[in-house]
Amino acid sequence: MIEVRDLTVRFGGKTVFEHSAFTLPESGIVLLRGASGIGKTTLLRVLSGLLKPETGSVTGLQGRKVSFAFQEPRLLEWMSALQNVALVSDPKTAESLLNRLGLEDELSEKAGVLSGGQKQRVSLARAFAFSNDVVLLDEPFSGLDEENKRRAAELIRTAKLAVVVTHDADDAALFQPEANIIL
């Protein structure tokens, strides 16, 4: 079990979390749903260790490998889709994941020329190519049409533990009823 205890995070004069507590399961899909600005991305950043809270602790992630697909893809624009994913794995795994996400024709395309939805899928493939125990996904369906959302959801279901941020009820419905929803 992953526990967040006594979490306080402030940015300037804005309090995002104040002495909050969350418990996440060991496995499955956790959806963080809610309006913009309530702290979904902030919680992912705390879970990943990218943001140190003012107070509080996270237990249950020690010794576990965590990967993160950010809201914006953060690809190396001068590298191909395949090269971006192979940075964290081997080319065979990278190609398999990209194919699974419908990018078989874009393997050798430079990331800088891909559409927003294609970049999003490359980022998702990279998060899954990294050998992980926990995958954190910030708005993974951004820029995707229905078919590609379905493909992405199928991949996300393969994770040991996926923590998925979304504000869209339709995106959350892709995981009903198996997902835990918080926030």
Side-chain angles (χ1 to χ4, degrees):
M1 187 166 314
I2 300 166
E3 291 187 69
V4 178
R5 297 183 199 136
D6 192 33
L7 179 66
T8 300
V9 177
R10 293 186 180 92
F11 297 106
K14 182 178 182 195
T15 300
V16 180
F17 291 103
E18 186 160 21
H19 303 294
S20 299
F22 302 92
T23 302
L24 304 178
E26 281 291 315
S27 62
I29 298 170
V30 176
L31 297 176
L32 303 178
R33 274 198 60 216
S36 294
I38 67 163
K40 300 179 302 289
T41 297
T42 298
L43 182 56
L44 288 186
R45 292 176 43 121
V46 168
L47 291 173
S48 70
L50 293 174
L51 178 66
K52 183 168 175 22
E54 193 173 307
T55 67
S57 64
V58 176
T59 59
L61 286 174
Q62 297 75 9
R64 295 177 79 178
K65 294 179 182 176
V66 178
S67 65
F68 200 139
F70 296 91
Q71 196 167 13
E72 54 291 323
R74 299 187 183 186
L75 302 176
L76 300 175
E77 301 280 316
W78 61 90
M79 295 178 86
S80 71
L82 182 63
Q83 290 169 324
N84 266 279
V85 179
L87 284 170
V88 298
S89 71
D90 61 90
K92 184 176 179 181
T93 299
E95 183 174 354
S96 173
L97 286 164
L98 289 166
N99 289 343
R100 187 170 184 177
L101 290 169
L103 292 165
E104 55 278 343
D105 294 333
E106 287 79 20
L107 296 175
S108 61
E109 293 290 330
K110 300 278 188 228
V113 301
L114 297 176
S115 72
Q118 290 169 331
K119 288 179 181 181
Q120 190 71 9
R121 287 181 284 154
V122 172
S123 177
L124 184 59
R126 185 176 55 199
F128 276 83
F130 180 75
S131 175
N132 63 59
D133 300 308
V134 179
V135 62
L136 307 174
L137 304 168
D138 196 353
E139 300 286 355
F141 303 112
S142 174
L144 301 185
D145 61 24
E146 292 308 311
E147 174 62 20
N148 287 311
K149 284 181 183 183
R150 184 192 59 73
R151 286 180 176 152
E154 286 175 9
L155 180 60
I156 292 166
R157 281 188 188 91
T158 68
K160 295 173 191 166
L161 174 61
V163 182
V164 182
V165 163
T166 185
H167 65 277
D168 189 312
D170 291 336
D171 292 349
L174 292 167
F175 300 108
Q176 301 296 331
E178 75 258 34
N180 295 295
I181 301 173
I182 62 173
L183 290 185

